[in-house]
């Protein structure tokens, strides 16, 4: 172990994480990065705080890196059933726990988005790809089947049962792969507990929403790809066929899936282009198939099946937040051209936009943005957006960081009420229109309350409760990345790329510190840690 080099990389990690901490503290207190720097005493306080956090984090990170550097694998003296029969035992365990939640929350927790997708299927709303059209059709068909056999509740339960089975399969496969690795027994057991018993994941296994199948597919690709391309060196054609199908599924399950697929495949192509010709060629073919599929699928659903495009406003959370904050802080600092450009794209008065501004959530502004904006209107808006930026760039910085800092600041649990999962069937008549007759079994109300209180209590436990915080997984990914750079484990760095893409997706999302958006990253972090331990155990002396 090169202690000097290790201290250097530990210090780099500490600086980054301490910066996250201090920026988060500032935004928690002032909602602006600039205000405290106008006060001399605050500047001194920030410097002291920054120094303190660098020192504390450096000590922790250096200790963790040192432990990992000195790690030597010792095979457990006695193998538990989870090591002797990893797939079957974990499948039974995770499915059983999900089944308990299923009974308590029967027929499943139907969310706003879940109702929205059913509304599109049944023609109550126009079918669009705002939520993945493919999954909306699957949801609708299963609801039709359940209604035909028994009732709407049974239709919802058919989808939930399918989701529970996939949930158990993905975790079982993951643990089966990990059971072959040279990782500490305590880490192996912690990962099992995380996947099987973390209340948030158990809740999502019985929640009627697009996110669960999506994040499970992210994990399955992450594990399958590394297991076959790196651990097993398995380059059968079937491996690449399965990988192609998994990437296609990822794209079908969520609109952001294409971005994660593209960054994952591109980094693999770049890594293997001069190392392993076979992998380079086959991954390149998969990349080509994915691009062709994406183009063809969009033509099919938008033109042939007459599915509406999702509104462009879904991609504009950052500029819309910047505009709203500008209108709140400088409502009179607009020329006529800027006023006209903004008024043409919003359904409410400019003054009201400033009043609607929520630093942690762009939805209040986003939903006032015209859904059918023309190209000319958008161009005029962005011209105004740019000239406004030149006048008050600090406002744009604050609007951006205010809507994102919770993803890297450990002091923010969640910015909205659904951060600990879903516990109710959505009753808002805007989506729950009464067309579907879906309701909980009233006899399990006390059990549902118990699970809610259990999750709330767990989130407040020091250290352990941090599993509910987005920043925990962002920090872990950064610390792992810097350690991999220190050790030059480049083949593992490649697998960090899609996780960073997942974080970027969160940063441009409408909500700050929203765990639902970060689960695709969070669920892969334990496996990444296990891969690092295994790589270290197998490193040449």
């Amino acid at each position: 172990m090169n202690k000097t080099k290790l201290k250097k990389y530990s210090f780099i990690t500490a600086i980054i994480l301490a910066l996250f901490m201090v920026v988060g503290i500032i935004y928690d207190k002032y909602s602006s990065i600039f205000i405290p720097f106008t006060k001399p005493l605050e500047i001194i306080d920030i410097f002291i705080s920054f120094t303190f956090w660098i020192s504390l984090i450096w000590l922790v990170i250096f200790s963790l890196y040192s432990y990992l550097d000195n790690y030597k694998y010792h095979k457990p003296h006695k193998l538990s059933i989870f090591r002797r029969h990893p797939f079957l035992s974990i499948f039974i365990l995770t499915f059983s726990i999900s089944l308990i939640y299923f009974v308590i929350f029967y027929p499943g927790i139907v969310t706003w988005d879940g109702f929205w997708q059913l509304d599109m299927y049944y023609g109550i709303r126009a079918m669009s790809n705002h939520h993945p059209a493919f999954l909306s059709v699957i949801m609708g068909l299963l609801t039709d089947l359940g209604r035909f056999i028994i009732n709407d509740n049974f239709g919802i339960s058919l989808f939930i049962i399918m989701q529970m089975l996939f949930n158990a399969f993905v975790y079982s496969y993951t643990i089966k792969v990990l059971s072959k690795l040279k990782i500490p027994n305590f880490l192996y057991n912690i990962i099992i507990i995380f996947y099987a018993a973390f209340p948030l994941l158990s809740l999502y296994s019985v929640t009627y929403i697009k996110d669960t199948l999506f994040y499970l597919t992210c994990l399955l690709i992450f594990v399958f790809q590394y297991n076959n391309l790196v651990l097993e060196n398995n380059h059968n054609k079937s491996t690449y066929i399965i990988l192609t199908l998994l990437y296609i599924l990822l794209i079908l399950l969520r609109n952001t899936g294409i971005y994660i697929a593209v960054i994952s495949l591109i980094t693999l192509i770049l890594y293997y282009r001069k190392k392993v010709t076979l992998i380079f060629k086959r991954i390149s073919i998969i990349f080509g198939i994915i691009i062709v599929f994406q183009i063809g699928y969009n033509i099919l659903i938008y033109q042939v099946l007459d599915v509406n495009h999702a509104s462009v406003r879904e991609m504009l959370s950052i500029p819309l937040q910047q505009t709203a904050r500008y209108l709140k802080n400088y409502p009179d600092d607009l020329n006529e051209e800027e006023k006209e450009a903004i008024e043409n794209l919003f359904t409410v008065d400019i003054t009201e936009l400033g009043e609607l501004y929520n630093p942690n959530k762009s939805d209040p502004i986003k939903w006032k943005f015209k859904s059918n904006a023309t190209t000319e209107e958008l161009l005029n808006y962005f011209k105004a957006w740019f000239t406004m930026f030149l006048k008050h760039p600090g406002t744009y910085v604050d609007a951006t960081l205010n809507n994102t800092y919770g993803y890297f600041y450990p002091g923010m649990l969640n910015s909205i009420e659904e951060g600990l999962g879903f516990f109710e069937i959505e009753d808002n008549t805007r989506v729950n229109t009464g067309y579907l007759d879906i309701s909980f079994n009233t006899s399990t109300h006390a059990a549902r309350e118990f699970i809610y209180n259990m999750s709330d209590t767990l989130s407040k436990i020091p250290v352990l409760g941090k599993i509910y915080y987005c920043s925990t997984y962002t920090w872990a990914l950064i610390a792992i990345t810097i350690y991999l750079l220190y050790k030059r484990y480049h083949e593992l760095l490649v697998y960090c790329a899609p996780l960073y893409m997942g974080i970027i997706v969160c940063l441009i999302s409408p909500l700050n510190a929203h765990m639902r958006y970060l689960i695709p990253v969070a669920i892969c972090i334990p496996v990444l840690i296990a891969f690092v331990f295994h790589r270290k155990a197998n490193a040449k002396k």
Side-chain angles (χ1 to χ4, degrees), residues 265-531:
L265 292 170
I266 286 178
T267 51
L268 284 171
I269 289 170
L270 292 175
Y271 176 72
Y272 284 112
R273 64 192 174 96
K274 292 183 178 179
K275 291 181 178 292
V276 185
T277 304
L278 178 64
I279 300 179
F280 168 73
K281 287 182 178 178
R282 291 187 174 177
I283 294 296
S284 298
I285 291 171
I286 293 176
F287 179 76
I289 292 172
I290 292 301
I291 297 302
V292 170
F293 175 82
Q294 175 73 2
I295 295 171
Y297 177 67
N298 285 343
I299 293 173
L300 175 67
I301 65 169
Y302 293 136
Q303 297 183 17
V304 179
L305 300 180
D306 196 28
V307 173
N308 296 325
H309 285 270
S311 173
V312 68
R313 66 189 175 197
E314 298 304 317
M315 300 183 291
L316 298 179
S317 286
I318 289 178
L320 293 182
Q321 284 291 81
Q322 293 166 338
T323 299
R325 190 174 180 114
Y326 187 104
L327 295 174
K328 180 182 179 180
N329 294 345
Y330 308 101
D332 300 321
D333 197 359
L334 293 168
N335 60 41
E336 290 303 316
E337 187 177 352
E338 291 165 346
K339 282 184 181 179
E340 183 180 358
I342 294 172
E343 287 172 347
N344 286 340
L345 275 180
F346 289 90
T347 60
V348 295
D349 185 76
I350 282 180
T351 305
E352 188 175 343
L353 284 177
E355 295 171 353
L356 286 171
Y357 173 66
N358 180 334
N360 293 304
K361 187 177 183 178
S362 71
D363 282 346
I365 306 301
K366 189 176 70 175
W367 293 114
K368 302 302 180 183
F369 190 86
K370 283 172 60 175
S371 60
N372 56 345
T374 65
T375 302
E376 183 180 1
E377 288 173 331
L378 287 169
L379 287 173
N380 290 335
Y381 166 71
F382 277 109
K383 287 178 183 177
W385 173 87
F386 183 68
T387 58
M388 290 159 64
F389 165 73
L390 293 177
K391 286 187 281 187
H392 298 287
T395 298
Y396 279 36
V397 172
D398 280 338
T400 303
L401 288 175
N402 233 135
N403 201 59
T404 57
Y405 78 95
Y407 286 107
F408 52 81
Y409 172 52
M412 177 177 278
L413 172 57
N414 59 284
S415 59
I416 60 172
E417 63 277 3
E418 69 178 66
L420 299 182
F422 298 93
F423 298 89
E424 301 292 340
I425 289 178
E426 180 62 53
D427 60 1
N428 191 305
T429 55
R430 288 171 59 194
V431 287
N432 188 354
T433 62
Y435 180 83
L436 295 163
D437 184 16
I438 302 169
S439 60
F440 283 141
N441 180 354
T442 56
S443 65
T444 59
H445 176 75
R448 296 199 300 274
E449 283 293 312
F450 171 79
I451 290 176
Y452 173 81
N453 292 329
M454 178 183 67
S455 298
D456 185 59
T457 301
L458 179 60
S459 71
K460 295 174 181 176
I461 297 175
V463 183
L464 182 59
K466 292 299 180 182
I467 60 175
Y468 277 104
Y469 287 64
C470 295
S471 57
T472 299
Y473 305 97
T474 305
W475 281 41
L477 179 57
I478 289 170
I480 292 167
T481 301
I482 295 176
Y483 182 79
L484 294 176
L485 288 169
Y486 156 63
K487 299 299 291 186
R488 301 186 181 223
Y489 294 164
H490 299 133
E491 76 282 4
L492 265 171
L493 279 169
V494 170
Y495 287 83
C496 294
L499 303 186
Y500 279 105
M501 187 71 241
I503 291 176
I504 290 172
V505 169
C506 290
L507 296 180
I508 62 176
S509 74
L511 299 173
N512 186 19
H514 195 35
M515 191 63 181
R516 177 163 68 96
Y517 293 159
L518 197 74
I519 291 181
V521 176
I523 206 169
C524 294
I525 293 297
V527 178
L528 180 60
I529 293 172
F531 288 162

Side-chain angles (χ1 to χ4, degrees), residues 90-268:
I90 298 302
F91 189 95
I92 293 172
L93 176 64
T94 52
F95 187 80
S96 297
I97 292 176
S98 292
L99 191 60
I100 294 171
Y101 279 78
F102 176 63
V103 171
I104 293 171
F105 289 94
Y106 181 84
I109 306 167
V110 186
T111 64
W112 175 286
D113 287 0
F115 269 116
W116 189 333
Q117 290 187 258
L118 289 175
D119 287 347
M120 290 193 298
Y121 175 81
Y122 287 110
I124 299 169
R125 289 173 179 261
M127 178 64 82
S128 77
N129 207 38
H130 173 82
H131 297 294
F134 166 79
L135 190 59
S136 299
V137 172
I138 298 298
M139 289 174 160
L141 290 173
L142 288 174
T143 304
D144 280 342
L145 178 60
R147 176 180 286 183
F148 175 76
I149 297 173
I150 302 179
N151 55 25
D152 291 344
N153 265 9
F154 186 64
I156 297 298
S157 72
L158 289 176
F159 178 84
I160 297 298
I161 291 170
M162 175 196 73
Q163 185 169 270
M164 288 163 55
L165 289 168
F166 188 60
N167 183 78
F169 168 78
V170 172
Y171 294 147
S172 301
Y173 173 75
T174 299
I175 298 301
K176 182 182 178 182
V177 170
L178 297 187
S179 69
K180 300 179 291 184
L181 305 187
K182 296 177 180 179
I183 62 176
N185 204 43
F186 78 86
L187 176 61
Y188 183 75
N189 292 329
I190 287 173
I191 294 174
I192 290 174
I193 294 170
F194 179 78
Y195 287 142
F198 181 19
L200 183 66
L201 298 182
S202 299
L203 274 168
Y204 271 102
S205 73
V206 298
T207 298
Y208 199 79
I209 197 169
K210 61 180 180 284
D211 299 86
T212 306
L213 293 176
F214 178 75
Y215 73 65
L216 289 171
T217 303
C218 286
L219 176 60
L220 184 55
I221 291 174
F222 188 80
V223 177
F224 180 85
Q225 197 165 255
Y226 190 79
N227 181 53
N228 284 277
L229 271 57
V230 179
L231 298 176
E232 300 290 340
N233 201 25
N234 180 2
H235 302 300
N236 295 331
K237 288 184 180 180
S238 59
T239 296
Y240 294 92
I241 292 172
I242 293 172
L243 202 52
T244 303
L245 294 175
L246 287 176
Y247 274 115
I248 288 174
L249 180 62
L250 189 74
I251 293 169
L252 291 174
L253 290 176
R254 195 175 176 112
N255 298 334
T256 54
I258 183 62
Y259 306 119
I260 294 175
V262 165
I263 195 69
S264 179
L265 292 170
I266 286 178
T267 51
L268 284 171

